[in-house]
Amino acid sequence: MTETEIPEDHPRYASLVTRHRIEAGVERGITSKQGLIAQGRGEAFDYLLGERTLPSADAAARAAAATLLSADRPVISVNGNVAALAPSETVDLADAVDADLEVNLFNHTDERVRRIAAHLREHGADEVKGLAGDGEIPGLDHARGVVDADGIEAADVVVVPLEDGDRAAALDAMGKTEIVIDLNPGSRSPRTADVPIIDNLLRAVPNVTEHARNLAEATPAELDRIAGEFDADAALDAAEAAIREGSFADGDGE
């Protein structure tokens, strides 16, 4: 069954579409097989969150938009799962906040980087970084420490969806402002982030884009106020509370 063959009235439609995109990403050489496991873990947390954008996640998305619009050199990091799940949405966000796109992979091969870059260009990207690999993130011994010198290494704000905890910590040590999208409020990545968005990537990225477009005419002072008023710890606590206090009573099941 292809994505277009999944009936939209199926109670698990969104979940099935997401799984299909990851599977298709593996078949195209974009997503690693380990990405299948990561997707399943994230889906479990989304189920516990009620598969909805919490008010705290929406506030985080607005703070993220303000932070990106205020940035001098924003960069959106793209891995295999992000490329498979939300290529057009990620390109739209980059356009809305004038950010660069850079491919960065844990299971790195030059061929995968080229495939992901081509996939993003097919979905509207003009330029994709990550092929030069002439920069570094200090303290990382694996491939995710290799970045472009004029990309992530030089960025002041980095969007790191579906991020590895060790790289999130390393970017923080470099003084980067990090915006992390993750469904697990207990993960190291969102707990390191300046702006943790505890939400499904497919909801979060378009939400940040919408906020960015709504804030396009905001003054620098207004953007600073929005970003400054955001409380990362409160957002994490709200997501954890939603998970702990949720109920399966109204769930659609599998």
Side-chain angles (χ1 to χ4, degrees):
M1 179 178 291
T2 66
E3 179 177 335
T4 57
E5 294 172 332
I6 299 171
E8 293 188 15
D9 61 351
H10 191 288
R12 305 299 299 152
Y13 173 77
S15 175
L16 292 172
V17 166
T18 299
R19 296 179 203 179
H20 171 79
R21 289 180 184 177
I22 291 291
E23 181 184 20
V26 173
E27 292 173 351
R28 293 189 60 176
I30 291 172
T31 306
S32 70
K33 291 182 180 179
Q34 288 86 346
L36 294 165
I37 299 170
Q39 172 58 31
R41 180 181 59 202
E43 185 171 299
F45 277 99
D46 199 21
Y47 200 87
L48 293 171
L49 284 167
E51 296 176 310
R52 61 196 167 100
T53 296
L54 301 174
S56 55
D58 183 63
R62 188 166 186 259
T67 300
L68 286 164
L69 290 169
S70 299
D72 293 322
R73 302 192 71 169
V75 175
I76 301 172
S77 181
V78 180
N79 65 15
N81 280 35
V82 173
L85 289 171
S88 297
E89 294 87 346
T90 302
V91 171
D92 287 346
L93 174 58
D95 289 342
V97 298
D98 194 23
D100 288 333
L101 295 167
E102 179 167 340
V103 181
N104 184 269
L105 306 173
F106 184 84
N107 296 291
H108 176 102
T109 68
D110 290 343
E111 179 61 23
R112 274 192 71 208
V113 174
R114 285 192 291 269
R115 286 176 183 266
I116 290 172
H119 186 63
L120 292 172
R121 287 193 291 268
E122 288 171 7
H123 286 82
D126 292 326
E127 180 183 359
V128 182
K129 298 184 184 295
L131 296 167
D134 54 352
E136 68 170 344
I137 301 172
L140 292 181
D141 295 329
H142 54 72
R144 295 207 78 178
V146 179
V147 295
D148 281 11
D150 65 345
I152 288 174
E153 185 177 55
D156 57 342
V157 176
V158 187
V159 181
V160 280
L162 314 183
E163 178 66 351
D164 295 325
D166 56 346
R167 195 175 77 123
L171 287 169
D172 182 62
M174 292 178 73
K176 310 295 186 188
T177 296
E178 291 183 82
I179 298 166
V180 168
I181 301 171
D182 197 305
L183 278 160
N184 178 5
S187 175
R188 288 179 298 162
S189 301
R191 291 193 169 276
T192 299
D194 299 273
V195 184
I197 305 173
I198 309 302
D199 202 0
N200 189 308
L201 179 82
L202 291 174
R203 296 191 298 268
V205 174
N207 199 19
V208 177
T209 301
E210 182 178 1
H211 281 299
R213 288 173 176 157
N214 290 337
L215 293 170
E217 302 301 322
T219 64
E222 176 68 4
L223 295 174
D224 288 345
R225 183 190 65 77
I226 293 169
E229 289 179 351
F230 175 72
D231 187 330
D233 290 335
L236 293 170
D237 289 345
E240 181 178 348
I243 289 172
R244 291 183 181 276
E245 297 167 8
S247 170
F248 292 124
D250 297 323
D252 290 319
E254 186 63 32

